[in-house]
């Protein structure tokens, strides 16, 4: 087998076969509300019910300058440190620096990451082991970013509350702004993946079959050559806001035009936020909004850097479907639980587990 250079036609062909086609199906929401707030809130509610995922543009978080750029500079500097320096911030138990291993049950991915609590006191505590040269600067860069992204998460949740016609439209955003909210910040660094071999005829046929196959069976491209950066899962929290550099990798499982689910490649857009509904929002809306399954497949020859804010309620928050979401035709789907109970379940399971099913009313 010959290892082709990054730009040879053989490699480009390989990558094209590994990836599902980019799709116009990724909904885009212009947060500047060009058609007014009412139309925007209805659009946000509709995409969260139909896809559970959208690209937010004109979102008001300044880029390329501002908190996002400062955080990217600080985290890139951290990931450039020698391994033993980074390991001082680990192991992730569950927070801290991690490399390849995800969670406690044997999941692995081609990445390294920092997982931080989003609350300022916890950031300051962790920063002491993250960046010895200037921990207080590191904390203030993280806190400033969290404040900006939390504001955006609240705006989106308020739009959702309005679009769904909730009695208290601010119900969702209040959960994540409580002082003891359990929100997290994750920074993922995926190394370049340039070791894909030149394919022989049999490999090509195999890859074509895999690319045609839908999720749930042979849709996992690691079978031949591709690498799982972060395996298939849904996010457990309320809402996640992801921002990444211009390197592709994210894929989401969306219903296609025929109503079947299929993996869709999300084209990178470093100026946007990618927003996804988490399990708790699905439970609070009695299944009206859908917690989207997603994954990262590493195929690029440049490192991918992504930052995800997971907006969560306090540990003691009780999660049960809002009364206006339960009707005669739509009975209660999930039993009531606290976020602490849900977290306990999630840490006992593998990444790909559909953990909300455990709380399903039979
Ligand atoms: C998936 C979403 C977030 O990245 C995360 C992950 C968490 C972890 O890395 O510790 C989990 C995973 C995530 C769900 C199942 C458990 C817990 C790894 C894992 C196998 C930080 C989160 O909140 O849940």
């Amino acid at each position: 087998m010959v290892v082709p250079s990054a730009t040879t036609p053989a490699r480009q062909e390989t990558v094209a076969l590994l990836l599902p086609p980019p799709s116009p199906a990724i909904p885009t929401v212009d947060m500047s509300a060009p058609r007014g707030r009412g139309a925007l809130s209805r659009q946000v509610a509709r995409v969260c019910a139909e896809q559970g995922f959208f690209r937010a543009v004109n979102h008001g978080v300044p880029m390329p300058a501002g908190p996002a750029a400062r955080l990217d500079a600080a985290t890139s500097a951290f990931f450039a440190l020698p391994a033993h320096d980074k390991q001082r911030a680990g192991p992730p138990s569950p927070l801290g620096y991690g490399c390849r291993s995800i969670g406690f049950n044997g999941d692995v991915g081609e990445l390294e990451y920092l997982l931080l609590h989003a609350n300022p006191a916890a950031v300051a505590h962790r920063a002491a082991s993250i960046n010895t040269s200037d921990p207080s600067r590191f904390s203030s860069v993280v806190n400033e970013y969290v404040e900006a992204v939390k504001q955006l998460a609240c705006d989106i949740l308020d739009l959702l509350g309005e679009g769904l016609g909730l009695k208290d439209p601010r119900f969702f955003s209040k959960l994540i702004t409580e002082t003891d909210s359990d929100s997290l910040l994750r920074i993922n660094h995926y190394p370049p993946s340039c070791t894909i071999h030149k394919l022989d005829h049999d490999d090509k046929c195999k890859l074509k079959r895999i690319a045609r196959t839908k999720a749930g069976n042979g849709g996992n491209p690691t079978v031949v050559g591709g690498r799982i950066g972060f395996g298939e899962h849904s996010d457990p929290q309320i809402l996640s806001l992801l921002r990444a550099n211009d390197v592709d990798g994210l894929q989401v499982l969306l219903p296609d035009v025929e109503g079947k689910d299929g993996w869709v490649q999300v084209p990178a857009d470093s100026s946007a936020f990618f927003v996804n509904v988490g399990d708790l929002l699905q439970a609070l809306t009695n299944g009206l909004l859908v917690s989207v399954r997603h994954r990262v497949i590493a195929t690029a020859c440049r490192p991918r850097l992504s930052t995800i804010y997971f907006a969560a309620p306090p540990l003691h928050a009780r999660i049960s479907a809002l009364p206006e979401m339960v009707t005669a035709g739509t009975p209660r789907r999930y039993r009531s639980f606290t976020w602490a109970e849900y977290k306990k379940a999630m840490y006992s399971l593998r990444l790909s587990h559909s953990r909300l099913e455990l709380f399903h009313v039979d």
Side-chain angles (χ1 to χ4, degrees):
M1 294 265 239
V2 179
V3 180
S5 78
T7 49
T8 60
R11 187 180 183 284
Q12 281 161 6
E13 184 186 10
T14 309
V15 170
L17 284 166
L18 286 169
L19 295 173
S23 164
I26 305 296
T28 296
V29 175
D30 183 342
M31 298 297 295
S32 68
R35 290 180 296 120
R37 187 158 176 104
L40 178 61
S41 66
R42 286 188 297 276
Q43 186 191 12
V44 170
R46 195 183 61 246
V47 295
C48 289
E50 289 172 357
Q51 278 105 345
F53 179 82
F54 67 91
R55 184 171 74 109
V57 299
N58 296 326
H59 42 68
V61 177
M63 301 196 211
R70 284 191 281 279
L71 182 69
D72 289 354
T75 55
S76 299
F78 171 78
F79 289 121
L81 291 172
H84 66 271
D85 287 343
K86 291 185 274 194
Q87 274 149 10
R88 292 186 51 217
S93 49
L95 307 182
Y97 170 75
C99 186
R100 299 199 76 242
S101 147
I102 299 168
F104 304 116
N105 299 306
D107 288 289
V108 286
E110 290 299 322
L111 86 164
E112 57 179 342
Y113 59 88
L114 270 175
L115 195 46
L116 310 171
H117 202 282
N119 138 339
V123 171
H125 178 74
R126 179 65 60 178
S129 62
I130 286 175
N131 186 333
T132 44
S133 62
D134 196 347
S136 66
R137 163 142 177 92
F138 190 86
S139 320
S140 65
V141 164
V142 170
N143 293 336
E144 183 194 28
Y145 182 80
V146 165
E147 274 315 305
V149 84
K150 191 207 284 179
Q151 185 54 57
L152 177 59
C154 287
D155 291 347
I156 294 170
L157 290 172
D158 288 345
L159 285 163
L160 266 174
E162 291 165 33
L164 295 174
L166 299 190
K167 218 178 319 156
D168 176 5
R170 301 199 53 218
F171 178 84
F172 300 135
S173 67
K174 283 180 188 161
L175 283 173
I176 72 158
T177 48
E178 300 265 351
T179 44
D180 53 352
S181 96
D182 190 39
S183 302
L184 299 178
L185 188 70
R186 168 169 218 132
I187 304 104
N188 289 331
H189 179 245
Y190 299 90
S193 176
C194 289
T195 52
I196 298 169
H197 300 297
K198 190 172 178 202
L199 303 176
D200 61 23
H201 177 73
D202 282 356
D203 283 343
K204 281 183 188 165
C205 295
K206 216 163 166 186
L207 276 171
K208 277 185 182 147
R209 276 202 307 278
I210 291 163
R212 277 199 301 265
T213 322
K214 295 288 183 182
N217 43 35
N220 184 343
T222 47
V223 184
V224 184
R227 288 176 175 178
I228 289 285
F230 206 110
E232 170 181 353
H233 66 286
S234 65
D235 289 344
Q237 292 82 358
I238 293 182
L239 197 74
S240 311
L241 269 61
L242 176 147
R243 192 181 51 77
N245 64 358
D246 61 351
V247 174
D248 286 339
L250 180 63
Q251 298 180 4
V252 287
L253 192 60
L254 295 183
D256 74 11
V257 273
E258 290 152 22
K260 287 175 284 165
D261 288 349
W263 285 108
V264 171
Q265 188 200 335
V266 181
D269 178 352
S270 58
S271 66
F273 277 91
F274 292 94
V275 179
N276 67 267
V277 169
D279 298 347
L280 296 190
L281 201 47
Q282 179 168 331
L284 288 164
T285 58
N286 204 25
L288 178 64
L289 305 187
V290 289
S291 175
V292 72
R293 293 182 78 75
H294 52 287
R295 64 185 184 186
V296 174
I297 303 295
T299 50
C301 266
R302 284 178 302 127
R304 175 178 160 91
L305 185 72
S306 65
T307 301
I308 311 120
Y309 173 71
F310 300 99
L315 285 171
H316 58 79
R318 182 147 288 282
I319 307 299
S320 38
L322 292 169
E324 48 268 69
M325 298 287 140
V326 182
T327 62
T330 328
R332 191 171 293 279
R333 283 178 65 175
Y334 309 102
R335 69 172 173 82
S336 147
F337 54 86
T338 62
W339 170 230
E341 252 184 276
Y342 198 73
K343 275 185 90 175
K344 196 169 164 206
M346 96 194 192
Y347 281 120
S348 70
L349 298 167
R350 297 294 297 262
L351 181 62
S352 64
H353 206 285
S354 298
R355 52 200 85 84
L356 200 48
E357 292 303 311
L358 295 179
F359 297 84
H360 211 277
V361 173
D362 296 318

